[in-house]
């Protein structure tokens, strides 16, 4: 369509303002010198300094980053396998159930998933003595379980887009299935794995509800800490912390976004070449 | 394909399937069965964990199974739970409606934008979705407060003479939910609208159909799968939402997620919390099936192009 309704694109602009305005306001006020968050009294970075002197906050951040890195790695391994099964194996025993299990965590209210995971850990502890109490291990397992779905969706989409004839050609030439997977499939879906890892990482880093259910003493994560502070109202330290988190996440997304964009361009170019040649 | 390769491929298959299947079975499916069983047990805070076992050996002779339906009866007898359920459904329905109202034109504009900038527009929608949920809600606390950004602005403009009480109201909860769940609505809508065959609209225009009528008769019905998927992606998790009503809501915005949380953490009544979870799941069966169907239909639609 060559007609561009101005109203429509104005609305789009307003929509983006709605999405970004609140985040920008937090970033803006994180540099406010005043303790009263919304009363501007001058530029200052003192809240960042205060943040770095808060040892409990730093400890919680380290715990969160550790859990997020382990969860994302586990989620990429299991999510890739799950996505591969769904994209490449049209039928196997209980496939419908499997597809349901992969997609359910995406929409399941977190209070339910959290409660269910906790009750499993408690039951297991009673039966086999593991896990011994709750902490970083149980949080990591719970996070892997619900983030692997996101990875599986990304990997499945990528595998469906991919030219399957390359895999078949390698197979015809005598490569073993795992060789095909390692030498052909894996390198081709690597950008999807990277963005899947980053997505799992940020979701794990951000999770409050499920974590609260399956955490134990000594495993307070950053969102748990933020939540307990935020409940009491707005505070300049939280503004500073929020700004740091937004900065880190944005960087991560931009990297993975550029990876996907480059991959799409390559795909288009090879499609053009194929069409031209 | 050589026969041995074919064989080997089949020998590897069960393992590849079994690993994620087993993981999800143990850590996702089994827990739900446990929730179901514990919802039938009796709370006893003197025990660890705080409920009586469902199955017990009496005097090491008889196997005793005690099913306690009391938790479910209690849910229906106490107004608190019924009101919280209805409130959750209402909040989810209203928020979904507003997400659709705002998300549809945005997705439409994105899908009709220049091909080159579409990925950037898309990334700009995904970016806030990846940014901390908690922080996005927190941002609204700073805006909606009595001495917050919005009230300060309106006071300064002279629109109001004293701060509007926005925090801890249903309005604040709707704003918070629409804000955080909007990307879930836009993404499926965008992907159906972007795939739409625009020649249909041209044909309609050639045959004398006005743009608005063409939109109503062609675009809207064709984007229905995206509308259903987006609506369910918002509706289902919002029914169990905890953080938004906890931070932005007040006593009148109690939702079922908050009730579950309170039963579990404050009252340590795990069986009742489980019963609340089971009842919530039953409520969500229909929307989840609707979502599965709308997603199951999309590969067909894609295959058509």
């Amino acid at each position: 369509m060559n007609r561009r309704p101005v109203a429509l694109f104005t609305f789009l602009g307003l929509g983006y303002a709605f999405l970004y305005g609140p985040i920008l306001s937090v970033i803006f006020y994180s540099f406010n010198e005043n303790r009263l968050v919304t009363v501007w009294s001058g530029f200052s970075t003192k809240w960042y300094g205060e943040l770095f002197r808060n040892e409990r906050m730093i400890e919680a951040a380290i715990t969160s980053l550790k859990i997020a890195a382990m969860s994302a790695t586990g989620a990429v391994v299991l999510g890739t396998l799950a996505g591969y099964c769904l994209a490449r194996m049209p039928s196997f025993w209980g496939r419908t159930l499997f597809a349901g299990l992969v997609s359910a965590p995406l929409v399941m209210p977190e209070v339910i998933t959290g409660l269910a995971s906790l009750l499993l850990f408690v039951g297991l502890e009673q039966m086999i003595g593991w896990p011994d109490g709750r902490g970083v291990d149980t949080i990591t397992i719970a996070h892997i379980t619900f983030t692997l779905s996101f990875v599986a969706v990304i990997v499945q989409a990528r595998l469906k887009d991919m030219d399957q004839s390359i895999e078949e050609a390698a197979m015809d030439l005598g490569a073993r299935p795992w060789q095909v997977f390692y030498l052909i499939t894996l390198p081709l879906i690597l950008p999807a794995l990277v963005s899947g890892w980053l997505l799992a990482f940020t979701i794990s880093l951000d999770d409050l509800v499920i974590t609260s259910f399956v955490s134990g003493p000594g495993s307070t994560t950053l969102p748990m800490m933020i939540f307990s502070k935020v409940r009491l109202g707005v505070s300049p330290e939280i503004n500073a912390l929020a700004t740091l988190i937004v900065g880190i996440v944005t960087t991560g997304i931009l990297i993975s976004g550029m990876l996907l964009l480059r991959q799409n361009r390559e795909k288009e170019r090879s499609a053009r070449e194929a069409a031209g040649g | 394909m050589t026969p041995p390769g074919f064989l080997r491929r089949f020998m590897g298959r069960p393992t590849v399937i079994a690993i994620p299947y087993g993981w999800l079975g143990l850590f996702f499916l089994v827990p739900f069965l446990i929730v179901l069983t514990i919802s039938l047990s009796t709370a006893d805070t003197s025990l660890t964990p705080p409920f009586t076992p469902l199955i017990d050996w009496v005097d090491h002779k008889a196997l005793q199974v005690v099913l306690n339906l009391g938790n479910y009866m209690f849910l229906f007898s106490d107004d608190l739970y019924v009101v919280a359920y209805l409130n959750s459904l209402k909040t989810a329905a209203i928020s979904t409606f507003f997400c659709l109202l705002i998300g549809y034109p945005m997705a439409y504009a994105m899908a009709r934008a220049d091909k080159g900038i579409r990925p950037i527009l898309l990334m700009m929608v995904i970016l806030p979705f990846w940014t901390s949920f908690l922080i996005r809600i927190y941002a609204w606390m700073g805006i909606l407060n009595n001495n917050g950004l919005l009230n300060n602005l309106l006071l300064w403009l002279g629109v109001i003479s004293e701060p509007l009480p926005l925090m801890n109201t249903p309005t604040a909860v709707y704003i918070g939910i629409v804000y955080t769940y909007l990307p879930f609505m836009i993404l499926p809508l965008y992907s159906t609208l972007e795939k739409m065959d625009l020649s249909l609209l041209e044909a309609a225009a050639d045959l004398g159909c006005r743009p608005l009528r063409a939109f109503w008769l062609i675009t809207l019905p064709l984007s229905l799968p995206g509308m259903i998927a987006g609506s369910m992606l918002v509706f289902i998790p919002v029914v169990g939402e905890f953080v938004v009503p906890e931070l932005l809501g007040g006593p009148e915005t109690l939702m079922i997620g908050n009730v579950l949380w309170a039963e579990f953490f404050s009252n340590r009544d795990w069986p009742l919390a489980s019963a609340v979870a089971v009842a919530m799941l039953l409520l969500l069966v229909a929307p989840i099936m609707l979502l599965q169907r709308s997603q199951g239909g999309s590969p067909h639609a894609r295959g058509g192009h």
Side-chain angles (χ1 to χ4, degrees):
Chain A
M1 296 241 285
N2 37 22
R3 277 190 332 125
R4 284 279 151 65
V6 176
L8 197 61
F9 285 92
T10 314
F11 191 90
L12 184 62
L14 287 176
Y16 283 122
F18 174 60
L19 285 176
Y20 285 92
I23 300 174
L24 293 178
S25 79
V26 169
I27 296 174
F28 178 74
Y29 281 113
S30 76
F31 296 106
N32 184 3
E33 188 254 325
N34 203 321
R35 179 162 272 287
L36 291 169
V37 173
T38 46
V39 182
W40 184 264
S41 65
F43 179 87
S44 158
T45 53
K46 72 173 178 183
W47 302 114
Y48 289 88
E50 217 141 289
L51 199 64
F52 286 115
R53 277 190 296 276
N54 188 338
E55 273 169 32
R56 282 179 55 215
M57 194 78 96
I58 292 188
E59 202 181 307
I62 292 170
T63 309
S64 278
L65 288 170
K66 239 195 297 190
I67 292 171
M70 288 192 295
S71 308
T73 310
V76 163
V77 172
L78 290 163
T80 306
L81 289 176
Y84 187 81
C85 291
L86 288 173
R88 288 285 187 267
M89 300 175 186
S91 67
F92 54 85
W93 185 82
R95 190 183 188 280
T96 316
L97 175 68
F98 182 67
L101 281 177
V102 171
S103 60
L106 297 175
V107 288
M108 189 60 67
E110 283 192 275
V111 280
I112 300 182
T113 314
L115 177 69
S117 312
L118 170 77
L119 293 178
L120 171 83
F121 292 134
V122 170
L124 278 177
E125 190 179 2
Q126 272 181 306
M127 265 162 53
I128 59 170
W130 178 92
D132 187 16
R134 289 174 297 284
V136 172
D137 298 352
T138 48
I139 298 174
T140 307
I141 290 173
H143 282 192
I144 290 175
T145 309
F146 87 104
T147 52
L148 81 82
S149 300
F150 290 86
V151 180
V153 168
I154 295 176
V155 169
Q156 189 188 351
R158 176 76 191 111
L159 281 170
K160 274 189 177 158
D161 273 358
M162 213 177 93
D163 188 1
Q164 231 171 307
S165 60
I166 314 171
E167 287 170 341
E168 280 160 15
M171 207 99 80
D172 287 346
L173 293 170
R176 298 177 176 192
W178 62 267
Q179 281 179 318
V180 175
F181 185 76
Y182 264 104
L183 298 172
I184 313 272
T185 317
L186 206 57
L188 282 173
I189 60 171
L190 199 63
L193 297 191
V194 172
S195 59
W197 192 91
L198 286 169
L199 182 58
F201 184 84
T202 48
I203 292 172
S204 163
L205 196 63
D206 187 31
D207 181 74
L208 166 74
V209 176
I210 294 176
T211 313
S212 300
F213 276 96
V214 297
S215 77
S219 62
T220 305
T221 62
L222 197 57
M224 288 167 74
M225 192 125 185
I226 296 174
F227 184 62
S228 63
K229 262 190 151 253
V230 158
R231 261 181 157 166
L232 308 173
V234 282
S235 88
E237 284 114 322
I238 297 293
N239 281 345
L241 181 61
T243 304
L244 286 180
I245 294 176
V246 169
I248 293 167
V249 170
T250 310
T251 316
I253 309 268
L254 288 180
I255 293 171
S256 81
M258 279 189 308
L259 279 173
L260 283 177
L261 219 60
R262 205 174 64 187
Q263 190 186 337
N264 279 347
R265 284 215 188 103
E266 270 165 22
K267 205 171 75 190
E268 270 168 28
R269 195 187 322 141
S270 62
R272 265 203 308 275
E273 276 163 14
Chain B
M1 199 183 291
T2 55
F6 186 76
L7 256 182
R8 259 189 241 114
R9 188 176 167 184
F10 262 80
M11 278 163 66
R13 255 178 64 131
T15 337
V16 172
I17 299 171
I19 296 170
Y21 212 151
W23 180 283
L24 284 168
L26 176 60
F27 293 114
F28 197 76
L29 186 60
V30 171
F32 281 91
L33 303 177
I34 299 179
V35 170
L36 192 62
T37 42
I38 288 178
S39 72
L40 296 168
S41 69
T42 312
D44 186 344
T45 40
S46 64
L47 300 172
T48 331
F51 52 86
T52 56
L54 212 58
I55 300 169
D56 214 358
W57 285 101
V58 182
D59 302 331
H60 300 276
K61 279 188 302 219
L63 187 70
Q64 189 189 31
V65 181
V66 187
L67 293 183
N68 174 19
L69 289 172
N71 298 313
Y72 290 97
M73 313 276 252
F74 190 63
L75 287 188
F76 287 103
S77 63
D78 196 321
D79 258 4
L80 170 83
Y81 302 99
V82 181
V83 168
Y85 270 108
L86 293 178
N87 199 20
S88 295
L89 288 179
K90 190 181 99 184
T91 309
I94 293 176
S95 320
T96 307
F97 173 74
F98 277 105
C99 279
L100 194 58
L101 205 66
I102 301 172
Y104 199 100
M106 284 183 74
Y108 190 86
M110 284 163 66
R112 298 291 171 264
D114 279 327
K115 218 171 176 155
I117 61 164
R118 274 185 222 164
I120 296 159
L121 292 176
L122 191 64
M123 224 163 85
M124 279 172 67
V125 169
I126 298 173
L127 192 62
F129 160 66
W130 282 31
T131 311
S132 172
F133 188 86
L134 204 52
I135 283 168
R136 281 182 292 150
I137 302 298
Y138 168 76
W140 279 100
M141 291 176 71
I143 295 172
L144 298 173
N145 255 334
N146 270 357
N147 55 0
L149 214 53
L150 191 62
N151 270 319
N152 279 348
L153 182 74
L154 291 175
L155 283 172
W156 182 73
L157 287 173
V159 181
I160 49 173
S161 54
E162 52 186 81
L164 292 172
L166 291 166
M167 267 297 272
N168 308 324
T169 62
T171 315
V173 174
Y174 296 143
I175 293 176
I177 291 177
V178 170
Y179 180 65
T180 41
Y181 284 90
L182 190 58
F184 288 96
M185 180 65 87
I186 296 180
L187 295 179
L189 273 175
Y190 168 76
S191 79
T192 45
L193 285 169
E194 201 225 351
K195 280 197 294 262
M196 212 186 95
D197 191 352
L198 289 180
S199 59
L200 290 172
L201 291 179
E202 280 163 25
D206 288 347
L207 294 170
C209 189
R210 295 220 174 152
L212 212 60
R213 207 172 137 74
F215 173 81
W216 184 255
L217 289 174
I218 299 170
T219 312
L220 209 60
L222 279 177
S223 60
L224 199 63
M227 285 165 74
I228 294 175
S231 298
M232 292 306 112
L233 283 177
V234 174
F235 185 86
I236 298 166
V238 170
V239 167
E241 180 56 46
F242 162 76
V243 180
V244 181
E246 188 73 16
L247 292 180
L248 298 178
E252 47 176 334
T253 62
L254 192 69
M255 285 171 63
I256 201 65
N258 306 76
V259 172
L260 194 157
W261 183 281
E263 288 302 345
F264 183 84
F265 286 103
S266 316
N267 301 346
R268 273 179 68 80
D269 192 336
W270 294 15
L272 190 59
S274 303
V276 170
V278 172
M280 200 197 303
L281 262 181
L282 289 178
L283 222 63
L284 294 177
V285 167
I288 288 175
M289 281 169 68
L290 203 60
L291 176 66
Q292 290 256 314
R293 267 203 11 217
S294 75
Q295 284 178 335
S298 59
H300 272 292
R302 205 175 296 150
H305 282 274

